Amino acid sequence: MNATTTAPSLSFEFFPPRDVPGQKRLIENVAGKLGALEPSFFSVTYGAGGTTRDGTRQTVYRLIDAGFNAVPHLSMGADDKTHIQTILDDYCSRGVKRIVVLRGDQPSGFGANRFTHNAEALVNLIRTHCGDQFHLEVAAYPEIHPDASSAEQDLEFFKRKIDAGADSAITQYFYNADAYENFLERCAKAGITAPIVPGIMPITNLASLMRFSQKCGADIPRWLNNVLTDTADDQQATIDFGVDFVSRLCERLLQLGAPGLHFYTLNRWGATTRICQNLALH
Ligand code: FAD
């Protein structure tokens, strides 16, 4: 496969800060710095059923007011259709152009049952209510979604989201480029032509990386875990190693034809900026 010929797109993901001062700090200190890399958009996660729901909207609107292209994540959770339609109408009136559409992860303390609405149902709802007003992103899992009963079935459900009207996809993070290559090949065989942007998680701290990875099912290769364990007490060494390793991963993904890179920034700008500079994406 050849490297992509057009400049890869960059996008940066935030989670909504808890309060207004936090939102202001995020925009001034973090979005301000990352904005210099000229991203296509900043996206803001959504805690379906949780306390961050209004924070997503507020953060998105603050980003828009500061002149950035801001993209909310959205999932149905336990909400009814009318509530979601109200949110969509609000986004439309505020100039939102793109939405990341998800089933969502249920917040802890929300009860035993998982959300019943999969992402495909929400793509259908948005297309029915809003037509083509939004560019819709959905999630993809090169290492297979942890709830899926097989790789084949996961791909089938992914294809259904695209066929329902999603325009492109962003992947869960992974540290094994072969998983992405294999996923692209399987998608091509299944007739999926939508762009699939790899999600990139910079490595700055082993403990938090293990926590996130356990939750979302991302595989941390044994050798990587061992190397990071050796440097766990030296934060600067962990960051330097992580920047170098993730830069090389991104380089390989771009060579495989990745149309862009989507960074899970965890509301920080340092490691992401260094990786983009290493890749000369600035
Ligand atoms: P779906 O596409 O609905 O798939 C979920 C599971 O159900 C998969 O195993 C799939 O194979 C299966 N499935 C799909 N359709 C069907 C069907 N019709 N019948 C039976 N099974 C089916 N979580 C949040 O809470 N907030 C966020 O803001 C957020 N942002 C994210 C951004 C990205 C880029 C990614 C990759 C993930 C994000 N997540 C977020 C996590 C995501 O919500 C979880 O991974 C969730 O468990 C699955 O969401 P999904 O949209 O992929 O679900």
Side-chain angles (χ1 to χ4, degrees):
M1 247 179 274
N2 292 325
T4 177
T5 45
T6 50
S9 65
L10 285 177
S11 50
F12 301 125
E13 181 171 311
F14 295 145
F15 59 84
R18 281 190 189 282
D19 51 22
V20 172
Q23 290 166 11
K24 285 187 175 156
R25 276 197 302 277
L26 176 72
I27 283 148
E28 282 165 23
N29 303 341
V30 186
K33 292 268 189 344
L34 291 171
L37 297 165
E38 300 184 356
S40 304
F41 61 87
F42 290 107
S43 80
V44 184
T45 61
Y46 185 78
T51 51
T52 66
R53 296 198 310 176
D54 288 342
T56 302
R57 262 201 273 192
Q58 286 165 10
T59 307
V60 162
Y61 294 159
R62 279 185 196 285
L63 282 161
I64 290 175
D65 290 345
F68 296 113
N69 188 8
V71 172
H73 294 207
L74 183 64
S75 53
M76 274 193 83
D79 288 328
D80 64 21
K81 215 165 128 180
T82 318
H83 181 80
I84 296 293
Q85 287 169 341
T86 307
I87 296 178
L88 292 168
D89 292 342
D90 198 39
Y91 282 149
C92 202
S93 72
R94 291 297 301 261
V96 169
K97 298 275 186 291
R98 187 185 289 246
I99 298 178
V100 182
V101 181
L102 303 143
R103 181 190 71 179
D105 276 328
Q106 199 154 292
S108 53
F110 200 75
N113 297 326
R114 275 193 173 270
F115 293 142
T116 49
H117 296 288
N118 55 50
E120 180 195 346
L122 184 52
V123 171
N124 276 320
L125 192 162
I126 297 175
R127 286 297 180 226
T128 304
H129 186 67
C130 310
D132 288 336
Q133 246 156 359
F134 299 108
H135 177 114
L136 301 184
E137 300 273 2
V138 287
Y141 301 85
E143 293 184 328
I144 322 299
H145 188 273
D147 295 350
S149 59
S150 70
E152 195 186 341
Q153 199 199 45
D154 206 33
L155 187 68
E156 213 173 285
F157 289 134
F158 175 60
K159 185 169 172 5
R160 281 170 57 160
K161 289 193 283 194
I162 301 291
D163 291 347
D167 298 288
S168 48
I170 302 171
T171 76
Q172 185 57 274
Y173 70 87
F174 54 87
Y175 294 109
N176 181 352
D178 290 345
Y180 180 70
E181 183 174 24
N182 176 266
F183 186 64
L184 291 188
E185 284 168 4
R186 291 192 300 121
C187 285
K189 265 193 206 146
I192 298 166
T193 55
I196 299 169
V197 173
I200 307 296
M201 177 71 94
I203 299 173
T204 56
N205 179 291
L206 175 61
S208 56
L209 181 68
M210 295 310 283
R211 208 171 47 246
F212 291 133
S213 305
Q214 223 158 21
K215 212 171 142 200
C216 72
D219 183 47
I220 306 298
R222 199 169 77 92
W223 73 267
L224 181 59
N225 190 351
N226 286 344
V227 171
L228 290 169
T229 302
D230 284 353
T231 60
D233 292 337
D234 183 343
Q235 204 193 359
Q236 195 54 50
T238 301
I239 293 171
D240 290 345
F241 169 83
V243 164
D244 187 46
F245 168 67
V246 175
S247 300
R248 279 183 283 121
L249 172 70
C250 292
E251 200 171 29
R252 169 105 200 276
L253 298 174
L254 294 172
Q255 281 164 0
L256 288 170
L261 300 169
H262 177 83
F263 284 85
Y264 298 105
T265 70
L266 303 181
N267 293 4
R268 300 203 187 97
W269 59 271
T272 296
T273 302
R274 285 177 61 191
I275 293 164
C276 292
Q277 285 170 344
N278 284 346
L279 297 164
L281 298 175
H282 55 93

